[in-house]
């Protein structure tokens, strides 16, 4: 056995199709995944490979066409709104475009205040709430005083994504699903965001599903890696194993095609 | 001596916003690109890379305004030239620019061959559609693009093919200098590699003489260009041969940028990324002293007093910092030592 650790979340035979007949797309095709407690797992694939569709199924935002999701060993039941809310206490997400996931008319304090309320802090005294929000912001090197009364669109993409991490800090879910959290952010702020994400994970012991098209990022952050091509997992294993000794031709291509700085980057393969 | 294809001296330009505020996006930039050479421009978003690219073509229209400086392209001094004249005699022929996200700006109702006809007819009057088609076909084939693409609409092409098509169209008039602004940032790795290969091919086959390549992805720059220029808040902060810029950066900002490189290569997991805290200054009101002072680990009181000029290092590169080279290197060595422990 790989580990004594508990399996937190597992997906068995997940398939998700869109459309019918000639229009049919199999976005996720019979995928199995086991997520162990405290692990950082990356799912890597090119655009259109089905990563976001799979994340939405795992989050319970869309229904799978077939297959089951198990949470802490029990088949997940999100058939009612109340059960969904209960499930979302355990699993939360950060998306690629931080601006799209938020009501832009909500001020930043209310984004954070909602998190405190969701965790049962609705009746805490105001000072306590401010203290919590200040702590969450300073965790990601943002200043709460400078954010109050601002709207999300007044922040840069990088600051907004850090605010999303502050949100997770307050929500303290058991599992965080991060879907391309840095793909719209420049290389410099990317390092800051990854570091803050990994710091949060270290502090909370949270389990992380990290979704990316960039195999370098996956290598940097994860314990294990799943490679996704056209809706299927074609290779998986430890990050070192998959990335330093890839077996599947698709994995090899993803690695070969990323620009290198230590080894030669061979342009003759395309 | 090598022929200088592009020379810019002390160029400053600004945006004037709707509220009549000035944004000083390019501040006294000087650079030189010689025939057969390529220059990379790095820096985080908002530091003025795209504005510099626009500015050095001499093609100004509101809200962008020319302030000072000279631009010489292939021996022609174009500073102060009227936009119309620049358009007629410079753009596309002497210097061509592929803007960020150009491939998504293609008119969806026109075929690729129609774009090509527009470009050629703007510059040549007596040419038949048949001639244009033959020329386009030849260019595409030389560049390894299928000629069928010419009869397609933009939506029928994949992202990578669209981008390579845009690049091919941009060199139709055989410009001396090509500026590519983030040409591959939105693409998957394999398409990105094809774009890079094509840019290199353009240089090698002599379609263009010199290239300026803009991206915040340093591993890409490293693999494409001869020299890297790092910009911060509208200014050049360092300019060095690619290898030194990536493996031995001197300016604290370049040092920070290079420390954020992530590649899937052995050893990466052992290095600690060096994130740069804070955000760049607002260019409406740039700080008096060093523009990077606010975020610099090595800041001294003198840094904030007056503006800092570029200086030459022992190996000939230039950097903009009041701290002498030897002291910077010592400071970096101490940091590394701290991280090792
Ligand atoms: N709501 C939808 N309706 C129809 N097709 C969809 C929908 N969402 C995704 N798809 C298709 O499913 C495939 C996988 O998409 P996605 O999960 O977004 O991939 P990734 O996140 O890896 O880029 C793509 O072919 C996409 O066009
Ligand atoms: N049309 C515009 N009007 C006013 N300011 C602008 C305009 N375009 C860009 N800027 C400002 O100029 C600065 C440089 O922008 P840009 O050249 O796009 O940077 P980069 O390409 O490095 O991301 C930024 O501060 C940006 O906000
Ligand atoms: Mg996606
Ligand atoms: Mg730009």
């Amino acid at each position: 056995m790989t580990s004594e650790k508990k399996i937190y979340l597992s997906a068995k035979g997940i398939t998700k199709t869109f459309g019918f007949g000639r229009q049919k797309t199999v976005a996720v095709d019979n995928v199995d995944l086991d997520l162990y407690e405290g692990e950082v797992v990356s799912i890597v694939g090119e655009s259109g490979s089905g990563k976001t569709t799979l994340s939405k199924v795992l989050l319970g935002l869309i229904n799978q066409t077939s297959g089951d999701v198990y949470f802490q060993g029990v088949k997940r039941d999100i058939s009612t709104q109340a059960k969904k809310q209960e499930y979302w206490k355990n699993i939360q997400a950060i998306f690629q475009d931080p601006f799209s996931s938020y009501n832009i008319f909500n001020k930043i304090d209310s984004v954070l205040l909602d998190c405190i309320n969701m965790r049962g802090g609705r009746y805490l005294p105001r000072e306590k709430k401010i203290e919590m929000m200040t702590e969450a912001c300073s965790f990601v090197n943002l200043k709460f005083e400078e954010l109050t009364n601002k709207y999300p669109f007044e922040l840069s993409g990088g600051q907004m994504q850090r605010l999303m991490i502050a949100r997770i800090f307050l929500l303290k879910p058991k599992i965080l699903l991060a879907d391309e959290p840095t793909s719209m952010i420049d290389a410099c702020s990317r390092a800051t965001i990854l570091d803050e994400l990994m710091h949060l994970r270290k502090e909370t012991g949270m389990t992380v599903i990290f979704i990316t098209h960039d195999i370098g990022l996956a290598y940097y952050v994860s314990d294990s890696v799943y490679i996704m091509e056209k809706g299927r997992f074609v290779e998986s294993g430890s990050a070192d194993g998959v990335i330093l000794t890839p077996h599947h031709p698709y994995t090899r291509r993803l690695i070969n095609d990323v620009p290198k700085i230590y080894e030669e980057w061979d342009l003759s393969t395309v | 001596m090598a022929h200088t294809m592009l020379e810019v001296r002390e160029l400053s330009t600004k945006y004037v916003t709707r509220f009549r505020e000035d944004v000083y996006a390019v501040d006294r930039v000087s650079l030189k690109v010689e025939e057969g050479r390529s220059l990379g421009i790095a820096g985080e978003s908002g530091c003025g890379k795209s504005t510099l690219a626009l500015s050095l073509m001499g093609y100004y229209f509101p809200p962008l305004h020319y302030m000072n400086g000279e631009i010489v392209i292939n021996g022609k001094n174009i500073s102060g030239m009227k936009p119309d004249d620049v358009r007629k005699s410079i753009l596309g022929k002497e210097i061509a620019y592929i803007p960020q996200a150009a491939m998504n700006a293609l008119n969806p109702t026109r075929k690729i061959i129609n774009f090509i006809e527009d470009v050629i007819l703007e510059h040549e009057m007596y040419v038949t559609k048949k001639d244009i088609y033959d020329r386009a076909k030849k260019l595409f084939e030389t560049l390894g693009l299928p000629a069928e693409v010419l009869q397609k609409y933009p939506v029928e092409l994949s992202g990578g093919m669209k981008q390579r098509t845009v690049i091919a169209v941009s060199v139709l008039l055989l410009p001396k200098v090509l500026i590519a602004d983030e040409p591959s940032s939105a693409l998957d790795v394999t398409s990105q590699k094809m774009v890079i290969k094509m840019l290199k091919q353009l240089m090698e086959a002599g379609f263009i003489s010199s290239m300026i390549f803009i991206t915040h992805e340093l591993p890409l720059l490293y693999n494409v260009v001869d020299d890297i220029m790092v910009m911060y808040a509208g200014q050049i902060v360092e300019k060095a041969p690619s290898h030194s810029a990536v493996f031995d950066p001197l300016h604290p900002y370049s040092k920070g940028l290079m420390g954020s490189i992530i590649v899937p290569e052995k050893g990466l997991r052992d290095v600690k990324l060096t994130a740069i805290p804070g955000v760049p200054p607002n260019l409406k009101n740039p700080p008096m002293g060093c523009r990077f002072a606010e975020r610099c680990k090595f800041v001294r009181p003198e840094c904030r007093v007056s503006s800092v000029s570029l200086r030459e290092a022992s190996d000939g590169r230039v950097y903009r910092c009041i701290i002498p080279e030897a002291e910077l290197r010592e400071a970096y060595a101490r940091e590394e030592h701290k991280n090792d422990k």
Side-chain angles (χ1 to χ4, degrees), chain A residues 55-83:
Chain A
S55 1
K56 287 183 181 163
V57 169
L58 294 176
L59 285 166
L61 297 176
I62 56 175
N63 291 323
Q64 63 271 32
T65 310
S66 59
D68 290 302
V69 177
Y70 295 81
F71 179 66
Q72 294 186 314
V74 184
K75 196 161 144 183
R76 179 182 75 177
D77 175 9
I78 47 169
S79 52
T80 66
Q81 203 53 37
K83 284 174 179 167

Side-chain angles (χ1 to χ4, degrees), chain A residues 17 42 46 53 87 90 94-95 97 105 110 126 129-130 143 154 171 176 187 191-192 199 201 207 210 240 244 252 264:
Chain A
T17 59
S42 288
E46 290 176 294
T53 306
Y87 180 61
N90 298 302
I94 298 179
F95 296 104
D97 181 359
F105 301 112
S110 76
R126 200 183 138 68
K129 287 184 183 172
I130 289 181
K143 292 199 178 77
E154 294 178 75
L171 287 170
L176 169 65
T192 315
H199 181 199
R201 180 248 169 175
T207 305
F210 187 86
D240 275 319
L244 300 181
R252 290 211 192 107
E264 202 206 339

